[in-house]
Amino acid sequence: MTQSHQHDERLSFASTIPSSWYFDRSLLERETASIFGRTWQLVGREEQVPEAGCYFTTTVADEPLIVIRGKDGEIRALSNVCRHRAGPVASGEGKRPVLQCGYHGWTYGIDGSLLVTPEFEGVECFEKTEVRLPSFRVETWQGLLFVNLDRAAVPLSAVMKDVETLLAGDDLSQYRFARRKEWTLDCNWKVYVDNYLEGYHIPIVHPALFRELDYENYRTETLGQVSIQHSPIRRAERLRKGDGDSEAKFFWAFPNLMFNVYPDNFSTNLILPLGVDRTLTVFDWYFRDPALPEVKAMIEQTVEFSDEIQLEDIAICEAVQRGLKSSTYSAGRYSVKRENGVHHFHGLLAEHLGAR
C-alpha cells in the first residue's frame, strides 16, 4: 500500500515525499493515469511532419500514437491501435498516402477514417463510415509538438506561458535540431527529476561543472507548474558565454520535461518511466546552423561535456534509488536555500495524486 503524505507548503517545515513513492508499483500506475495521461507531453518536432502523409509513432502514458500531418495541413495525434483486433496501424516514421494495419491489412486515411476492411463481407451491424482511429489533442510550442490524452486539460499555452515568462525574451525557435542521445537508468523517474531540480549536489557530484558556474549566485525560481534554475557562468572553458553577462538557465515543466538553455544552444531532456526502478532520459540538442563545420565542432564538444555530467548523474541517481529502499530511511528534509525546486515538484506530485 502506498504511504500517505501530507505536503507542507512551508519549505522550512516540510518533509520530502515518502521513500516508498520511489518503488511502489501501484503508485506508478496511478502516476501513468493521473500525471502522464493528463499533462502535455513532448512527442517530437514540427519539422518531422513537414507535409501531408509525413508521420512518426510514439507512446504517451502507455497509449500508442501516430503523429501525422493531414492533407488539410493539420497535424493530428491518432491512435496507433487498429479498431479490428488492436494491431499496429503504423511503425517508425516516414510518409504514407494511407495507414495500413500490420496485422490484417485494415487501411485508414491519414485523417483516421477507415477505408478498407479486407474479407469482411457478411458482418452485420457494422458501418465502415462510422469507424475511425480515435484522435488526441496535439499542440505546438516553439516548433515542438506536444500531446495531451486528457480532453479537459488546459491548453498548452496556459502551461508554457510561465516558461515564456521565465525565458525573459529568449527565442528558442531560431535553433535547429542537431543531435539526440538516450540513456537508461536503474532508478525511479522521480529520483532523476529530484536530482535535476537542485544545484545543491553540483559541488560534490559535478566538479568540472562546478568550476564553470558561479555557485554562490545559483538560485531557483518557481512559477505555476514550471521552475527555472539561474546559474551564472563564471569561468567559460567548456561552456561558452554570450555577449555581456551570461548564465545557464535550467527550465523544468511538470512533470518530466527539462530545457537547458545556454548562450549558444539549448537542449530538451525528456524523462520517461520504463518501470518503477527503470527510467529513460532522451536528450535533444538544438543549435543555430548545425550543419556548419564550425558549429558541428561545437556540437561535439557540448555533447561530450553533457555526457560527462550525465554519467555522474546516473551514478548518483542509481545510488539514491538503492538508498531509498533502506529500512532505515523513510523521508528527509529540504535545504531552504537550495531545494525549493524539489519541494515545488513534490507539491505538484501530491496535488495530482490527490495527496494534499
Side-chain angles (χ1 to χ4, degrees):
M1 180 179 294
T2 304
Q3 282 180 267
S4 62
H5 173 70
Q6 187 65 40
H7 181 75
D8 194 329
E9 297 285 354
R10 301 170 301 171
L11 177 57
S12 59
F13 288 87
S15 294
T16 63
I17 57 176
S19 58
S20 66
W21 283 29
Y22 295 92
F23 51 84
D24 186 326
R25 298 183 187 280
S26 64
L27 182 66
L28 180 59
E29 293 178 359
R30 287 175 57 196
E31 291 170 343
T32 300
S34 299
I35 295 177
F36 292 95
R38 295 182 179 177
T39 53
W40 288 99
Q41 293 291 305
L42 175 65
V43 295
R45 310 178 306 279
E46 277 190 278
E47 66 183 39
Q48 291 177 268
V49 286
E51 56 189 48
C54 291
Y55 76 93
F56 62 88
T57 58
T58 188
T59 301
V60 171
D62 295 335
E63 188 67 55
L65 301 174
I66 310 164
V67 178
I68 189 166
R69 190 181 290 272
K71 295 178 182 177
D72 56 1
E74 182 178 347
I75 299 174
R76 295 177 173 84
L78 303 174
S79 172
N80 193 13
V81 178
C82 182
R83 301 296 92 193
H84 173 221
R85 294 258 307 282
V89 177
S91 61
E93 59 184 327
K95 182 179 180 182
R96 296 285 303 274
V98 294
L99 300 169
Q100 186 178 65
C101 176
Y103 198 6
H104 301 101
W106 281 34
T107 304
Y108 300 82
I110 59 175
D111 63 350
S113 58
L114 180 59
L115 302 178
V116 178
T117 55
E119 302 181 72
F120 222 59
E121 298 82 1
V123 177
E124 301 292 341
C125 302
F126 174 80
E127 292 293 335
K128 187 167 57 179
T129 56
E130 296 177 0
V131 179
R132 61 184 305 112
L133 297 174
S135 62
F136 302 91
R137 294 172 64 186
V138 57
E139 296 186 17
T140 64
W141 180 81
Q142 300 267 16
L144 302 176
L145 293 170
F146 293 77
V147 168
N148 198 318
L149 305 183
D150 183 5
R151 301 186 189 284
V154 299
L156 176 64
S157 58
V159 177
M160 302 311 287
K161 68 178 176 60
D162 289 335
V163 173
E164 291 174 348
T165 297
L166 297 175
L167 273 170
D170 289 342
D171 182 11
L172 303 184
S173 64
Q174 62 187 302
Y175 296 88
R176 295 293 175 263
F177 175 75
R179 182 74 62 83
R180 165 168 287 194
K181 196 156 191 178
E182 299 182 357
W183 303 81
T184 53
L185 298 78
D186 291 327
C187 70
N188 185 270
W189 71 277
K190 297 185 293 298
V191 170
Y192 192 92
V193 174
D194 287 347
N195 181 73
Y196 180 88
L197 290 175
E198 46 92 350
Y200 195 19
H201 69 284
I202 290 176
I204 306 299
V205 177
H206 304 304
L209 180 61
F210 178 66
R211 290 191 293 270
E212 302 273 323
L213 304 178
D214 181 1
Y215 180 72
E216 288 304 312
N217 290 303
Y218 196 110
R219 63 186 177 88
T220 300
E221 185 179 359
T222 63
L223 181 65
Q225 297 194 58
V226 306
S227 66
I228 176 176
Q229 297 169 72
H230 299 271
S231 181
I233 299 174
R234 179 182 60 184
R235 187 175 104 181
E237 293 184 357
R238 303 181 73 178
L239 298 175
R240 279 167 291 276
K241 297 183 71 171
D243 297 331
D245 293 333
S246 296
E247 68 173 9
K249 301 175 183 178
F250 306 118
F251 293 86
W252 167 79
F254 182 82
N256 62 328
L257 178 62
M258 294 97 171
F259 296 94
N260 309 302
V261 181
Y262 297 94
D264 63 348
N265 72 89
F266 85 93
S267 61
T268 60
N269 189 3
L270 186 64
I271 313 306
L272 300 169
L274 299 178
V276 71
D277 55 5
R278 189 76 168 159
T279 295
L280 173 68
T281 71
V282 182
F283 284 83
D284 284 345
W285 283 273
Y286 297 79
F287 283 75
R288 299 184 186 92
D289 303 315
L292 294 178
E294 60 270 26
V295 178
K296 287 183 178 180
M298 290 167 52
I299 294 169
E300 293 302 320
Q301 294 167 9
T302 299
V303 173
E304 180 184 9
F305 191 30
S306 175
D307 287 354
E308 180 181 318
I309 296 168
Q310 178 70 350
L311 287 170
E312 293 165 345
D313 278 330
I314 288 173
I316 194 62
C317 286
E318 292 184 342
V320 167
Q321 182 70 26
R322 293 190 293 269
L324 286 164
K325 292 187 176 181
S326 169
S327 62
T328 67
Y329 182 88
S330 59
R333 299 292 298 276
Y334 303 99
S335 164
V336 174
K337 182 177 181 180
R338 296 294 185 187
E339 295 179 297
N340 59 310
V342 183
H343 175 257
H344 175 239
F345 169 46
H346 290 177
L348 291 170
L349 272 174
E351 179 182 338
H352 280 75
L353 294 171
R356 82 177 196 187

